[in-house]
Amino acid sequence: AAARGQAGRGAGARGQAGAMVKEGGGFLTPKAIGNRIKAKGLQKLRFYCEMCQKQCRDENGFKCHCTSESHQRQMQIFASNPNTFMDEFSVDFEEGMLEIISRRARARIQANHCYQEYIGNRGHVHMNSTMWETLTDFVIYLGRAGKCDVDQTDKGWFIQYVDRDPAKLAAADATSKRKSSELDAEGRRTRELMRVAKRAREEGGEGVDGAVEPAAQELVRPTDAAPLVLQLHAGANSGGAGKRPASGLGGAGQSGLPPRPKAAGFATIDEEEVGGAAGGGGSGSAPPKSAMAAIMEAETRKRQALADKEVAASAASAAIAAAVPFTSGGKRDGWLCCGIVVKCMNGTLAGGRYRKQKGVVRALVDKYVAQVEMADSGDLLSLDQDDLETVLPPVGGALRVVHGAHRGARAKLLEIDESKFCVRIELAEGAHRGAVVGGVEYEDVSKLHVA
């Protein structure tokens, strides 16, 4: 009996120790960790009770919550005045959504993007507790209330926020009123000036400032007036070689003015020297130019010289291009050459793997077949020219002429005319180097591979 008693006490002690171990390790058990992970994220909306602010993880938990005493009390409170609670939830939901829309929907944006950001907050007001059953109903409400510009497309509803801030509206109204008053004042001032001018014209032709407008009169020359005589001497402006001629009115070359006395203490300057310095003009030398005026004049001459040089170069290029026409008619016979970039158009080779892939022509097997190294995979393929097409470089890039009068010459792409399916190039090799040739078809040139 004593042995059985000691064995019983030992079993009880082991039971208590096991219970203590279970209680101490309950926080770190896999089940407890999984429950905490689930509780952190968002749960299903249909298992959320808005009145109790409680989220259940599954249907069984939500059913147990609905039968609880606390939930029943909250539902009794809701049943006493349901419209008040629903309106409050609707206002909170609308304010939260409009806060996000005012930040993100200044430009046109999809409504679902704003809603996804709103429900990312775990404490948000759920839509099933508001007056709107779906997001579409809420978007339609925003459009009818004038709070957003809404439209529906194949991708869903799109919204754009309409700023209805009273302060901003009042400021805009005040600005429009101020501009209107300024325009009215200017209009009144203009009308008043026109009225004053019209009255002045009616009273006697006086202007607004009181000045009398001169009347038109006929030019009448007296009959006893002496004839006018003007003497012009040939060679008067020929570099100042002769003396300054005397000119006058009504005399034989005398001015009729007394001679100007010479100032004492100053050297006497001969009239011939003055005339020569002034270029024979007889009106004195021109005033000296300032340093700034000289610099501006030099810059103007330099710009004019550059412009003349460009015009001459353009005219020369046009003349060369006119003298060297580009012939690209007829069937192209063996246009392949090494070093150009081509595009594979064979859709059956390797199941279409190389279709529309670019490559570089490395060698020619014969006149119509070339070995092409594909750019993406590095594979070396033997392709016929019927399975290839030319590639255009960007504007300014290097290319090679593969057909026509300048076949084999390097060139630079100047312009692409997409409407006529042709390009304009500048030759970089050959006898016509530097010539600009236009109207070259896409098939007559190909991009040059640059290592």
Side-chain angles (χ1 to χ4, degrees), residues 170-206:
D173 190 14
T175 302
S176 62
K177 288 182 178 179
R178 184 175 66 255
K179 291 182 179 180
S180 178
S181 63
E182 291 176 357
L183 293 176
D184 293 343
E186 185 177 357
R188 288 194 301 269
R189 191 182 308 110
T190 303
R191 289 193 297 270
E192 182 66 21
L193 291 175
M194 293 177 63
R195 185 177 60 82
V196 171
K198 183 178 180 181
R199 187 177 61 204
R201 286 194 298 269
E202 291 176 354
E203 290 178 356
E206 294 186 357

Side-chain angles (χ1 to χ4, degrees), residues 344 349 354 363 369-374 377-383:
C344 178
L349 181 63
Y354 300 105
V369 180
Q371 290 185 354
V372 181
E373 181 182 356
M374 307 309 294
S377 60
D379 299 339
L380 192 63
L381 308 177
S382 294
L383 298 174

